[in-house]
Amino acid sequence: MNNTFNFRRFGLLLRKTIYEKGLVLGGTFILATVLVLFAYSSLKTARQSSFGQSMGFAIGLLSVTVWVNILLNNFSKKSVSASYLTLPCSHFEKWLSVFTITVLVYLPMFLVVFKVIDSLFLDYHRELAVTKFHYTAKQLEVDFPYLTYSFAEKDNLNRMPFSIFLACFFGLGGIAVVGSLYFNQKSYIKSALVFLGLSVAFSFLGDSLFSFIIGEKTTTSGVLNFTKAVVSTESKKAYQIYATESIKSLIQHFMMVFIPAALWLIGLVRFGDKEL
């Protein structure tokens, strides 16, 4: 028998995980759905739909960290941890079960429900905007664009692009995996504090490093995406510096692909260390 992966063994592990944690996972998903509904219920006819859509994406990102933490709360107590680690399945199968339930169960469910909510609310507000405020078709497309999951289509500037959502989804999910495996007690709180602390530190260090390299003062907001900087000189003139397309593409792939993948792989390695 393959000691790394076996379909039957993996299937039994998935069934066991869903049976034991399905109720809590379902409650988390319902709570996320209610929060999305609440975000859309605050829409007014004169308010752009991008508010509800951006809030929906943010709720999805927050809830996936809770979802992953629930899947890995077996390490919260030593007795439970010992029982989980002695299950007759490999650490790869345990890691893969978390990845599968998160990516192949939660993500499709959330995207479908999010799209349905968006369509229902926008249908209502579009009709109200036309009948009550006499919106034209062009105004509707500007103020009430439907939610799309397209990579090619240019997204509304006020809404989080779908590609960014996916990168953040896998990235935050990976952070939750690593945090849950490295912090046994109160792992969610500790992971959140470490993530926020590192984010603040990198934002300041990145700005300071860039200022040191070019020898001029830069604004903090200008270097957050690592592809553009706003340089302020002593004469209070501001200049924008952009990275080349090749450098920009390299940085984007590093941030959106390499880092999320690395976090999940670190989680896989940590699973093996736990069993040792």
Side-chain angles (χ1 to χ4, degrees), residues 9 13 16 74-75 77-91 93-94 271-276:
R9 194 170 57 207
L13 178 62
K16 179 180 185 301
N74 298 292
F75 299 103
K77 295 181 181 179
K78 290 185 177 181
S79 58
V80 179
S81 176
S83 176
Y84 181 68
L85 290 173
T86 54
L87 287 174
C89 52
S90 67
H91 67 273
E93 289 167 334
K94 295 170 185 174
F271 257 113
D273 294 341
K274 283 280 188 180
E275 291 190 345
L276 295 177

mmCIF file with all atom_site columns, all heavy atoms in Angstrom, residues 9 13 16 74-75 77-91 93-94 271-276:
data_model
loop_
_atom_site.group_PDB
_atom_site.id
_atom_site.type_symbol
_atom_site.label_atom_id
_atom_site.label_alt_id
_atom_site.label_comp_id
_atom_site.label_asym_id
_atom_site.label_entity_id
_atom_site.label_seq_id
_atom_site.pdbx_PDB_ins_code
_atom_site.Cartn_x
_atom_site.Cartn_y
_atom_site.Cartn_z
_atom_site.occupancy
_atom_site.B_iso_or_equiv
_atom_site.pdbx_formal_charge
_atom_site.auth_seq_id
_atom_site.auth_comp_id
_atom_site.auth_asym_id
_atom_site.auth_atom_id
_atom_site.pdbx_PDB_model_num
ATOM 1   N N   . ARG A 1 9   ? -8.131  5.632  1.717  1.00 0.00 ? 9   ARG A N   1
ATOM 2   C CA  . ARG A 1 9   ? -7.740  6.205  3.009  1.00 0.00 ? 9   ARG A CA  1
ATOM 3   C C   . ARG A 1 9   ? -8.025  7.698  3.055  1.00 0.00 ? 9   ARG A C   1
ATOM 4   O O   . ARG A 1 9   ? -8.527  8.227  4.059  1.00 0.00 ? 9   ARG A O   1
ATOM 5   C CB  . ARG A 1 9   ? -6.254  5.926  3.217  1.00 0.00 ? 9   ARG A CB  1
ATOM 6   C CG  . ARG A 1 9   ? -5.765  6.140  4.624  1.00 0.00 ? 9   ARG A CG  1
ATOM 7   C CD  . ARG A 1 9   ? -4.347  5.606  4.741  1.00 0.00 ? 9   ARG A CD  1
ATOM 8   N NE  . ARG A 1 9   ? -3.453  6.251  3.767  1.00 0.00 ? 9   ARG A NE  1
ATOM 9   C CZ  . ARG A 1 9   ? -2.352  5.677  3.284  1.00 0.00 ? 9   ARG A CZ  1
ATOM 10  N NH1 . ARG A 1 9   ? -2.011  4.467  3.674  1.00 0.00 ? 9   ARG A NH1 1
ATOM 11  N NH2 . ARG A 1 9   ? -1.583  6.327  2.425  1.00 0.00 ? 9   ARG A NH2 1
ATOM 12  N N   . LEU A 1 13  ? -10.685 9.836  5.442  1.00 0.00 ? 13  LEU A N   1
ATOM 13  C CA  . LEU A 1 13  ? -10.269 11.004 6.226  1.00 0.00 ? 13  LEU A CA  1
ATOM 14  C C   . LEU A 1 13  ? -11.165 12.197 5.939  1.00 0.00 ? 13  LEU A C   1
ATOM 15  O O   . LEU A 1 13  ? -11.552 12.930 6.867  1.00 0.00 ? 13  LEU A O   1
ATOM 16  C CB  . LEU A 1 13  ? -8.809  11.345 5.908  1.00 0.00 ? 13  LEU A CB  1
ATOM 17  C CG  . LEU A 1 13  ? -8.235  12.579 6.617  1.00 0.00 ? 13  LEU A CG  1
ATOM 18  C CD1 . LEU A 1 13  ? -8.251  12.392 8.132  1.00 0.00 ? 13  LEU A CD1 1
ATOM 19  C CD2 . LEU A 1 13  ? -6.816  12.868 6.130  1.00 0.00 ? 13  LEU A CD2 1
ATOM 20  N N   . LYS A 1 16  ? -14.470 11.634 7.706  1.00 0.00 ? 16  LYS A N   1
ATOM 21  C CA  . LYS A 1 16  ? -14.307 11.829 9.153  1.00 0.00 ? 16  LYS A CA  1
ATOM 22  C C   . LYS A 1 16  ? -14.244 13.321 9.489  1.00 0.00 ? 16  LYS A C   1
ATOM 23  O O   . LYS A 1 16  ? -14.889 13.779 10.450 1.00 0.00 ? 16  LYS A O   1
ATOM 24  C CB  . LYS A 1 16  ? -13.020 11.139 9.618  1.00 0.00 ? 16  LYS A CB  1
ATOM 25  C CG  . LYS A 1 16  ? -12.730 11.290 11.110 1.00 0.00 ? 16  LYS A CG  1
ATOM 26  C CD  . LYS A 1 16  ? -11.435 10.584 11.471 1.00 0.00 ? 16  LYS A CD  1
ATOM 27  C CE  . LYS A 1 16  ? -11.196 10.621 12.972 1.00 0.00 ? 16  LYS A CE  1
ATOM 28  N NZ  . LYS A 1 16  ? -11.110 11.990 13.516 1.00 0.00 ? 16  LYS A NZ  1
ATOM 29  N N   . ASN A 1 74  ? -7.361  20.667 15.670 1.00 0.00 ? 74  ASN A N   1
ATOM 30  C CA  . ASN A 1 74  ? -6.960  19.423 16.349 1.00 0.00 ? 74  ASN A CA  1
ATOM 31  C C   . ASN A 1 74  ? -5.691  19.620 17.173 1.00 0.00 ? 74  ASN A C   1
ATOM 32  O O   . ASN A 1 74  ? -5.379  18.800 18.034 1.00 0.00 ? 74  ASN A O   1
ATOM 33  C CB  . ASN A 1 74  ? -6.709  18.322 15.318 1.00 0.00 ? 74  ASN A CB  1
ATOM 34  C CG  . ASN A 1 74  ? -7.947  17.990 14.515 1.00 0.00 ? 74  ASN A CG  1
ATOM 35  O OD1 . ASN A 1 74  ? -8.915  17.459 15.016 1.00 0.00 ? 74  ASN A OD1 1
ATOM 36  N ND2 . ASN A 1 74  ? -7.920  18.339 13.234 1.00 0.00 ? 74  ASN A ND2 1
ATOM 37  N N   . PHE A 1 75  ? -4.951  20.679 16.876 1.00 0.00 ? 75  PHE A N   1
ATOM 38  C CA  . PHE A 1 75  ? -3.702  20.900 17.585 1.00 0.00 ? 75  PHE A CA  1
ATOM 39  C C   . PHE A 1 75  ? -3.860  21.869 18.762 1.00 0.00 ? 75  PHE A C   1
ATOM 40  O O   . PHE A 1 75  ? -2.872  22.316 19.327 1.00 0.00 ? 75  PHE A O   1
ATOM 41  C CB  . PHE A 1 75  ? -2.651  21.450 16.613 1.00 0.00 ? 75  PHE A CB  1
ATOM 42  C CG  . PHE A 1 75  ? -2.347  20.523 15.470 1.00 0.00 ? 75  PHE A CG  1
ATOM 43  C CD1 . PHE A 1 75  ? -2.862  20.769 14.207 1.00 0.00 ? 75  PHE A CD1 1
ATOM 44  C CD2 . PHE A 1 75  ? -1.568  19.396 15.660 1.00 0.00 ? 75  PHE A CD2 1
ATOM 45  C CE1 . PHE A 1 75  ? -2.594  19.909 13.154 1.00 0.00 ? 75  PHE A CE1 1
ATOM 46  C CE2 . PHE A 1 75  ? -1.292  18.531 14.613 1.00 0.00 ? 75  PHE A CE2 1
ATOM 47  C CZ  . PHE A 1 75  ? -1.808  18.795 13.359 1.00 0.00 ? 75  PHE A CZ  1
ATOM 48  N N   . LYS A 1 77  ? -5.207  21.181 21.677 1.00 0.00 ? 77  LYS A N   1
ATOM 49  C CA  . LYS A 1 77  ? -4.950  20.463 22.928 1.00 0.00 ? 77  LYS A CA  1
ATOM 50  C C   . LYS A 1 77  ? -4.044  19.267 22.645 1.00 0.00 ? 77  LYS A C   1
ATOM 51  O O   . LYS A 1 77  ? -4.133  18.648 21.593 1.00 0.00 ? 77  LYS A O   1
ATOM 52  C CB  . LYS A 1 77  ? -6.262  19.982 23.556 1.00 0.00 ? 77  LYS A CB  1
ATOM 53  C CG  . LYS A 1 77  ? -7.189  21.104 23.995 1.00 0.00 ? 77  LYS A CG  1
ATOM 54  C CD  . LYS A 1 77  ? -8.456  20.534 24.616 1.00 0.00 ? 77  LYS A CD  1
ATOM 55  C CE  . LYS A 1 77  ? -9.402  21.653 25.049 1.00 0.00 ? 77  LYS A CE  1
ATOM 56  N NZ  . LYS A 1 77  ? -10.662 21.109 25.627 1.00 0.00 ? 77  LYS A NZ  1
ATOM 57  N N   . LYS A 1 78  ? -3.187  18.943 23.599 1.00 0.00 ? 78  LYS A N   1
ATOM 58  C CA  . LYS A 1 78  ? -2.237  17.865 23.400 1.00 0.00 ? 78  LYS A CA  1
ATOM 59  C C   . LYS A 1 78  ? -2.923  16.512 23.214 1.00 0.00 ? 78  LYS A C   1
ATOM 60  O O   . LYS A 1 78  ? -2.494  15.690 22.401 1.00 0.00 ? 78  LYS A O   1
ATOM 61  C CB  . LYS A 1 78  ? -1.262  17.799 24.578 1.00 0.00 ? 78  LYS A CB  1
ATOM 62  C CG  . LYS A 1 78  ? -0.290  18.961 24.637 1.00 0.00 ? 78  LYS A CG  1
ATOM 63  C CD  . LYS A 1 78  ? 0.723   18.778 25.753 1.00 0.00 ? 78  LYS A CD  1
ATOM 64  C CE  . LYS A 1 78  ? 1.742   19.923 25.753 1.00 0.00 ? 78  LYS A CE  1
ATOM 65  N NZ  . LYS A 1 78  ? 2.755   19.765 26.821 1.00 0.00 ? 78  LYS A NZ  1
ATOM 66  N N   . SER A 1 79  ? -3.983  16.278 23.983 1.00 0.00 ? 79  SER A N   1
ATOM 67  C CA  . SER A 1 79  ? -4.677  14.989 23.885 1.00 0.00 ? 79  SER A CA  1
ATOM 68  C C   . SER A 1 79  ? -5.321  14.815 22.510 1.00 0.00 ? 79  SER A C   1
ATOM 69  O O   . SER A 1 79  ? -5.215  13.750 21.888 1.00 0.00 ? 79  SER A O   1
ATOM 70  C CB  . SER A 1 79  ? -5.740  14.878 24.978 1.00 0.00 ? 79  SER A CB  1
ATOM 71  O OG  . SER A 1 79  ? -6.673  15.950 24.875 1.00 0.00 ? 79  SER A OG  1
ATOM 72  N N   . VAL A 1 80  ? -5.972  15.876 22.021 1.00 0.00 ? 80  VAL A N   1
ATOM 73  C CA  . VAL A 1 80  ? -6.594  15.835 20.699 1.00 0.00 ? 80  VAL A CA  1
ATOM 74  C C   . VAL A 1 80  ? -5.534  15.752 19.626 1.00 0.00 ? 80  VAL A C   1
ATOM 75  O O   . VAL A 1 80  ? -5.684  15.032 18.622 1.00 0.00 ? 80  VAL A O   1
ATOM 76  C CB  . VAL A 1 80  ? -7.493  17.070 20.485 1.00 0.00 ? 80  VAL A CB  1
ATOM 77  C CG1 . VAL A 1 80  ? -8.130  17.031 19.103 1.00 0.00 ? 80  VAL A CG1 1
ATOM 78  C CG2 . VAL A 1 80  ? -8.574  17.147 21.556 1.00 0.00 ? 80  VAL A CG2 1
ATOM 79  N N   . SER A 1 81  ? -4.443  16.490 19.802 1.00 0.00 ? 81  SER A N   1
ATOM 80  C CA  . SER A 1 81  ? -3.357  16.488 18.830 1.00 0.00 ? 81  SER A CA  1
ATOM 81  C C   . SER A 1 81  ? -2.740  15.108 18.691 1.00 0.00 ? 81  SER A C   1
ATOM 82  O O   . SER A 1 81  ? -2.488  14.633 17.570 1.00 0.00 ? 81  SER A O   1
ATOM 83  C CB  . SER A 1 81  ? -2.284  17.495 19.252 1.00 0.00 ? 81  SER A CB  1
ATOM 84  O OG  . SER A 1 81  ? -1.186  17.448 18.376 1.00 0.00 ? 81  SER A OG  1
ATOM 85  N N   . ALA A 1 82  ? -2.502  14.444 19.820 1.00 0.00 ? 82  ALA A N   1
ATOM 86  C CA  . ALA A 1 82  ? -1.917  13.096 19.786 1.00 0.00 ? 82  ALA A CA  1
ATOM 87  C C   . ALA A 1 82  ? -2.833  12.122 19.063 1.00 0.00 ? 82  ALA A C   1
ATOM 88  O O   . ALA A 1 82  ? -2.381  11.286 18.275 1.00 0.00 ? 82  ALA A O   1
ATOM 89  C CB  . ALA A 1 82  ? -1.640  12.625 21.207 1.00 0.00 ? 82  ALA A CB  1
ATOM 90  N N   . SER A 1 83  ? -4.139  12.223 19.320 1.00 0.00 ? 83  SER A N   1
ATOM 91  C CA  . SER A 1 83  ? -5.102  11.349 18.663 1.00 0.00 ? 83  SER A CA  1
ATOM 92  C C   . SER A 1 83  ? -5.139  11.580 17.158 1.00 0.00 ? 83  SER A C   1
ATOM 93  O O   . SER A 1 83  ? -5.205  10.630 16.366 1.00 0.00 ? 83  SER A O   1
ATOM 94  C CB  . SER A 1 83  ? -6.492  11.578 19.265 1.00 0.00 ? 83  SER A CB  1
ATOM 95  O OG  . SER A 1 83  ? -7.466  10.807 18.586 1.00 0.00 ? 83  SER A OG  1
ATOM 96  N N   . TYR A 1 84  ? -5.068  12.851 16.757 1.00 0.00 ? 84  TYR A N   1
ATOM 97  C CA  . TYR A 1 84  ? -5.117  13.192 15.328 1.00 0.00 ? 84  TYR A CA  1
ATOM 98  C C   . TYR A 1 84  ? -3.852  12.752 14.601 1.00 0.00 ? 84  TYR A C   1
ATOM 99  O O   . TYR A 1 84  ? -3.911  12.227 13.487 1.00 0.00 ? 84  TYR A O   1
ATOM 100 C CB  . TYR A 1 84  ? -5.302  14.704 15.182 1.00 0.00 ? 84  TYR A CB  1
ATOM 101 C CG  . TYR A 1 84  ? -5.394  15.187 13.756 1.00 0.00 ? 84  TYR A CG  1
ATOM 102 C CD1 . TYR A 1 84  ? -6.484  14.867 12.952 1.00 0.00 ? 84  TYR A CD1 1
ATOM 103 C CD2 . TYR A 1 84  ? -4.385  15.968 13.203 1.00 0.00 ? 84  TYR A CD2 1
ATOM 104 C CE1 . TYR A 1 84  ? -6.572  15.306 11.646 1.00 0.00 ? 84  TYR A CE1 1
ATOM 105 C CE2 . TYR A 1 84  ? -4.466  16.428 11.895 1.00 0.00 ? 84  TYR A CE2 1
ATOM 106 C CZ  . TYR A 1 84  ? -5.558  16.097 11.122 1.00 0.00 ? 84  TYR A CZ  1
ATOM 107 O OH  . TYR A 1 84  ? -5.640  16.522 9.826  1.00 0.00 ? 84  TYR A OH  1
ATOM 108 N N   . LEU A 1 85  ? -2.697  12.936 15.248 1.00 0.00 ? 85  LEU A N   1
ATOM 109 C CA  . LEU A 1 85  ? -1.435  12.589 14.611 1.00 0.00 ? 85  LEU A CA  1
ATOM 110 C C   . LEU A 1 85  ? -1.243  11.081 14.466 1.00 0.00 ? 85  LEU A C   1
ATOM 111 O O   . LEU A 1 85  ? -0.482  10.625 13.605 1.00 0.00 ? 85  LEU A O   1
ATOM 112 C CB  . LEU A 1 85  ? -0.267  13.178 15.404 1.00 0.00 ? 85  LEU A CB  1
ATOM 113 C CG  . LEU A 1 85  ? -0.121  14.704 15.341 1.00 0.00 ? 85  LEU A CG  1
ATOM 114 C CD1 . LEU A 1 85  ? 0.959   15.186 16.293 1.00 0.00 ? 85  LEU A CD1 1
ATOM 115 C CD2 . LEU A 1 85  ? 0.188   15.162 13.919 1.00 0.00 ? 85  LEU A CD2 1
ATOM 116 N N   . THR A 1 86  ? -1.928  10.310 15.293 1.00 0.00 ? 86  THR A N   1
ATOM 117 C CA  . THR A 1 86  ? -1.792  8.849  15.217 1.00 0.00 ? 86  THR A CA  1
ATOM 118 C C   . THR A 1 86  ? -2.810  8.212  14.272 1.00 0.00 ? 86  THR A C   1
ATOM 119 O O   . THR A 1 86  ? -2.873  6.985  14.192 1.00 0.00 ? 86  THR A O   1
ATOM 120 C CB  . THR A 1 86  ? -1.956  8.235  16.618 1.00 0.00 ? 86  THR A CB  1
ATOM 121 O OG1 . THR A 1 86  ? -3.190  8.679  17.207 1.00 0.00 ? 86  THR A OG1 1
ATOM 122 C CG2 . THR A 1 86  ? -0.797  8.634  17.517 1.00 0.00 ? 86  THR A CG2 1
ATOM 123 N N   . LEU A 1 87  ? -3.584  9.023  13.570 1.00 0.00 ? 87  LEU A N   1
ATOM 124 C CA  . LEU A 1 87  ? -4.508  8.464  12.582 1.00 0.00 ? 87  LEU A CA  1
ATOM 125 C C   . LEU A 1 87  ? -3.715  7.714  11.505 1.00 0.00 ? 87  LEU A C   1
ATOM 126 O O   . LEU A 1 87  ? -2.641  8.157  11.095 1.00 0.00 ? 87  LEU A O   1
ATOM 127 C CB  . LEU A 1 87  ? -5.332  9.576  11.922 1.00 0.00 ? 87  LEU A CB  1
ATOM 128 C CG  . LEU A 1 87  ? -6.430  10.221 12.757 1.00 0.00 ? 87  LEU A CG  1
ATOM 129 C CD1 . LEU A 1 87  ? -7.048  11.404 11.999 1.00 0.00 ? 87  LEU A CD1 1
ATOM 130 C CD2 . LEU A 1 87  ? -7.519  9.208  13.100 1.00 0.00 ? 87  LEU A CD2 1
ATOM 131 N N   . PRO A 1 88  ? -4.225  6.575  11.045 1.00 0.00 ? 88  PRO A N   1
ATOM 132 C CA  . PRO A 1 88  ? -3.497  5.771  10.042 1.00 0.00 ? 88  PRO A CA  1
ATOM 133 C C   . PRO A 1 88  ? -3.548  6.379  8.642  1.00 0.00 ? 88  PRO A C   1
ATOM 134 O O   . PRO A 1 88  ? -4.085  5.793  7.702  1.00 0.00 ? 88  PRO A O   1
ATOM 135 C CB  . PRO A 1 88  ? -4.227  4.425  10.098 1.00 0.00 ? 88  PRO A CB  1
ATOM 136 C CG  . PRO A 1 88  ? -5.613  4.765  10.501 1.00 0.00 ? 88  PRO A CG  1
ATOM 137 C CD  . PRO A 1 88  ? -5.478  5.929  11.464 1.00 0.00 ? 88  PRO A CD  1
ATOM 138 N N   . CYS A 1 89  ? -3.023  7.569  8.499  1.00 0.00 ? 89  CYS A N   1
ATOM 139 C CA  . CYS A 1 89  ? -2.926  8.224  7.190  1.00 0.00 ? 89  CYS A CA  1
ATOM 140 C C   . CYS A 1 89  ? -1.705  9.137  7.210  1.00 0.00 ? 89  CYS A C   1
ATOM 141 O O   . CYS A 1 89  ? -1.224  9.535  8.268  1.00 0.00 ? 89  CYS A O   1
ATOM 142 C CB  . CYS A 1 89  ? -4.190  9.008  6.859  1.00 0.00 ? 89  CYS A CB  1
ATOM 143 S SG  . CYS A 1 89  ? -4.720  10.170 8.113  1.00 0.00 ? 89  CYS A SG  1
ATOM 144 N N   . SER A 1 90  ? -1.197  9.443  6.052  1.00 0.00 ? 90  SER A N   1
ATOM 145 C CA  . SER A 1 90  ? 0.043   10.210 5.949  1.00 0.00 ? 90  SER A CA  1
ATOM 146 C C   . SER A 1 90  ? -0.195  11.694 6.229  1.00 0.00 ? 90  SER A C   1
ATOM 147 O O   . SER A 1 90  ? -1.326  12.185 6.163  1.00 0.00 ? 90  SER A O   1
ATOM 148 C CB  . SER A 1 90  ? 0.647   10.036 4.553  1.00 0.00 ? 90  SER A CB  1
ATOM 149 O OG  . SER A 1 90  ? -0.192  10.635 3.581  1.00 0.00 ? 90  SER A OG  1
ATOM 150 N N   . HIS A 1 91  ? 0.901   12.396 6.517  1.00 0.00 ? 91  HIS A N   1
ATOM 151 C CA  . HIS A 1 91  ? 0.775   13.840 6.748  1.00 0.00 ? 91  HIS A CA  1
ATOM 152 C C   . HIS A 1 91  ? 0.380   14.549 5.464  1.00 0.00 ? 91  HIS A C   1
ATOM 153 O O   . HIS A 1 91  ? -0.275  15.596 5.510  1.00 0.00 ? 91  HIS A O   1
ATOM 154 C CB  . HIS A 1 91  ? 2.088   14.411 7.286  1.00 0.00 ? 91  HIS A CB  1
ATOM 155 C CG  . HIS A 1 91  ? 3.229   14.387 6.332  1.00 0.00 ? 91  HIS A CG  1
ATOM 156 N ND1 . HIS A 1 91  ? 4.061   13.311 6.187  1.00 0.00 ? 91  HIS A ND1 1
ATOM 157 C CD2 . HIS A 1 91  ? 3.678   15.319 5.450  1.00 0.00 ? 91  HIS A CD2 1
ATOM 158 C CE1 . HIS A 1 91  ? 4.974   13.572 5.265  1.00 0.00 ? 91  HIS A CE1 1
ATOM 159 N NE2 . HIS A 1 91  ? 4.762   14.774 4.797  1.00 0.00 ? 91  HIS A NE2 1
ATOM 160 N N   . GLU A 1 93  ? -1.813  13.389 3.269  1.00 0.00 ? 93  GLU A N   1
ATOM 161 C CA  . GLU A 1 93  ? -3.269  13.238 3.177  1.00 0.00 ? 93  GLU A CA  1
ATOM 162 C C   . GLU A 1 93  ? -3.976  14.176 4.144  1.00 0.00 ? 93  GLU A C   1
ATOM 163 O O   . GLU A 1 93  ? -5.037  14.721 3.810  1.00 0.00 ? 93  GLU A O   1
ATOM 164 C CB  . GLU A 1 93  ? -3.649  11.785 3.457  1.00 0.00 ? 93  GLU A CB  1
ATOM 165 C CG  . GLU A 1 93  ? -3.247  10.832 2.347  1.00 0.00 ? 93  GLU A CG  1
ATOM 166 C CD  . GLU A 1 93  ? -3.330  9.379  2.740  1.00 0.00 ? 93  GLU A CD  1
ATOM 167 O OE1 . GLU A 1 93  ? -3.217  9.090  3.952  1.00 0.00 ? 93  GLU A OE1 1
ATOM 168 O OE2 . GLU A 1 93  ? -3.485  8.533  1.854  1.00 0.00 ? 93  GLU A OE2 1
ATOM 169 N N   . LYS A 1 94  ? -3.414  14.392 5.314  1.00 0.00 ? 94  LYS A N   1
ATOM 170 C CA  . LYS A 1 94  ? -4.012  15.330 6.268  1.00 0.00 ? 94  LYS A CA  1
ATOM 171 C C   . LYS A 1 94  ? -3.960  16.756 5.722  1.00 0.00 ? 94  LYS A C   1
ATOM 172 O O   . LYS A 1 94  ? -4.931  17.504 5.825  1.00 0.00 ? 94  LYS A O   1
ATOM 173 C CB  . LYS A 1 94  ? -3.279  15.250 7.606  1.00 0.00 ? 94  LYS A CB  1
ATOM 174 C CG  . LYS A 1 94  ? -3.437  13.900 8.304  1.00 0.00 ? 94  LYS A CG  1
ATOM 175 C CD  . LYS A 1 94  ? -2.508  13.787 9.495  1.00 0.00 ? 94  LYS A CD  1
ATOM 176 C CE  . LYS A 1 94  ? -2.595  12.392 10.111 1.00 0.00 ? 94  LYS A CE  1
ATOM 177 N NZ  . LYS A 1 94  ? -1.603  12.182 11.190 1.00 0.00 ? 94  LYS A NZ  1
ATOM 178 N N   . PHE A 1 271 ? 3.369   19.767 8.762  1.00 0.00 ? 271 PHE A N   1
ATOM 179 C CA  . PHE A 1 271 ? 2.605   18.569 9.077  1.00 0.00 ? 271 PHE A CA  1
ATOM 180 C C   . PHE A 1 271 ? 3.553   17.397 9.317  1.00 0.00 ? 271 PHE A C   1
ATOM 181 O O   . PHE A 1 271 ? 3.382   16.594 10.246 1.00 0.00 ? 271 PHE A O   1
ATOM 182 C CB  . PHE A 1 271 ? 1.642   18.224 7.937  1.00 0.00 ? 271 PHE A CB  1
ATOM 183 C CG  . PHE A 1 271 ? 0.226   18.589 8.220  1.00 0.00 ? 271 PHE A CG  1
ATOM 184 C CD1 . PHE A 1 271 ? -0.400  19.582 7.496  1.00 0.00 ? 271 PHE A CD1 1
ATOM 185 C CD2 . PHE A 1 271 ? -0.502  17.935 9.191  1.00 0.00 ? 271 PHE A CD2 1
ATOM 186 C CE1 . PHE A 1 271 ? -1.719  19.933 7.744  1.00 0.00 ? 271 PHE A CE1 1
ATOM 187 C CE2 . PHE A 1 271 ? -1.827  18.254 9.454  1.00 0.00 ? 271 PHE A CE2 1
ATOM 188 C CZ  . PHE A 1 271 ? -2.438  19.262 8.714  1.00 0.00 ? 271 PHE A CZ  1
ATOM 189 N N   . GLY A 1 272 ? 4.563   17.264 8.438  1.00 0.00 ? 272 GLY A N   1
ATOM 190 C CA  . GLY A 1 272 ? 5.539   16.189 8.609  1.00 0.00 ? 272 GLY A CA  1
ATOM 191 C C   . GLY A 1 272 ? 6.333   16.339 9.886  1.00 0.00 ? 272 GLY A C   1
ATOM 192 O O   . GLY A 1 272 ? 6.610   15.353 10.578 1.00 0.00 ? 272 GLY A O   1
ATOM 193 N N   . ASP A 1 273 ? 6.711   17.579 10.229 1.00 0.00 ? 273 ASP A N   1
ATOM 194 C CA  . ASP A 1 273 ? 7.443   17.819 11.472 1.00 0.00 ? 273 ASP A CA  1
ATOM 195 C C   . ASP A 1 273 ? 6.595   17.467 12.688 1.00 0.00 ? 273 ASP A C   1
ATOM 196 O O   . ASP A 1 273 ? 7.114   16.968 13.697 1.00 0.00 ? 273 ASP A O   1
ATOM 197 C CB  . ASP A 1 273 ? 7.881   19.284 11.561 1.00 0.00 ? 273 ASP A CB  1
ATOM 198 C CG  . ASP A 1 273 ? 8.899   19.649 10.496 1.00 0.00 ? 273 ASP A CG  1
ATOM 199 O OD1 . ASP A 1 273 ? 9.538   18.728 9.933  1.00 0.00 ? 273 ASP A OD1 1
ATOM 200 O OD2 . ASP A 1 273 ? 9.049   20.856 10.197 1.00 0.00 ? 273 ASP A OD2 1
ATOM 201 N N   . LYS A 1 274 ? 5.300   17.735 12.607 1.00 0.00 ? 274 LYS A N   1
ATOM 202 C CA  . LYS A 1 274 ? 4.412   17.424 13.719 1.00 0.00 ? 274 LYS A CA  1
ATOM 203 C C   . LYS A 1 274 ? 4.406   15.924 14.005 1.00 0.00 ? 274 LYS A C   1
ATOM 204 O O   . LYS A 1 274 ? 4.374   15.499 15.154 1.00 0.00 ? 274 LYS A O   1
ATOM 205 C CB  . LYS A 1 274 ? 2.991   17.884 13.398 1.00 0.00 ? 274 LYS A CB  1
ATOM 206 C CG  . LYS A 1 274 ? 2.756   19.383 13.526 1.00 0.00 ? 274 LYS A CG  1
ATOM 207 C CD  . LYS A 1 274 ? 2.549   19.788 14.973 1.00 0.00 ? 274 LYS A CD  1
ATOM 208 C CE  . LYS A 1 274 ? 2.120   21.231 15.086 1.00 0.00 ? 274 LYS A CE  1
ATOM 209 N NZ  . LYS A 1 274 ? 1.909   21.644 16.500 1.00 0.00 ? 274 LYS A NZ  1
ATOM 210 N N   . GLU A 1 275 ? 4.403   15.124 12.945 1.00 0.00 ? 275 GLU A N   1
ATOM 211 C CA  . GLU A 1 275 ? 4.357   13.670 13.130 1.00 0.00 ? 275 GLU A CA  1
ATOM 212 C C   . GLU A 1 275 ? 5.668   13.139 13.696 1.00 0.00 ? 275 GLU A C   1
ATOM 213 O O   . GLU A 1 275 ? 5.704   12.103 14.359 1.00 0.00 ? 275 GLU A O   1
ATOM 214 C CB  . GLU A 1 275 ? 4.040   12.987 11.808 1.00 0.00 ? 275 GLU A CB  1
ATOM 215 C CG  . GLU A 1 275 ? 2.604   13.242 11.335 1.00 0.00 ? 275 GLU A CG  1
ATOM 216 C CD  . GLU A 1 275 ? 2.225   12.362 10.159 1.00 0.00 ? 275 GLU A CD  1
ATOM 217 O OE1 . GLU A 1 275 ? 3.133   11.770 9.541  1.00 0.00 ? 275 GLU A OE1 1
ATOM 218 O OE2 . GLU A 1 275 ? 1.020   12.248 9.894  1.00 0.00 ? 275 GLU A OE2 1
ATOM 219 N N   . LEU A 1 276 ? 6.767   13.859 13.398 1.00 0.00 ? 276 LEU A N   1
ATOM 220 C CA  . LEU A 1 276 ? 8.061   13.438 13.965 1.00 0.00 ? 276 LEU A CA  1
ATOM 221 C C   . LEU A 1 276 ? 8.148   13.756 15.444 1.00 0.00 ? 276 LEU A C   1
ATOM 222 O O   . LEU A 1 276 ? 8.774   13.039 16.196 1.00 0.00 ? 276 LEU A O   1
ATOM 223 C CB  . LEU A 1 276 ? 9.198   14.144 13.213 1.00 0.00 ? 276 LEU A CB  1
ATOM 224 C CG  . LEU A 1 276 ? 9.343   13.776 11.720 1.00 0.00 ? 276 LEU A CG  1
ATOM 225 C CD1 . LEU A 1 276 ? 10.456  14.595 11.085 1.00 0.00 ? 276 LEU A CD1 1
ATOM 226 C CD2 . LEU A 1 276 ? 9.616   12.287 11.558 1.00 0.00 ? 276 LEU A CD2 1
#
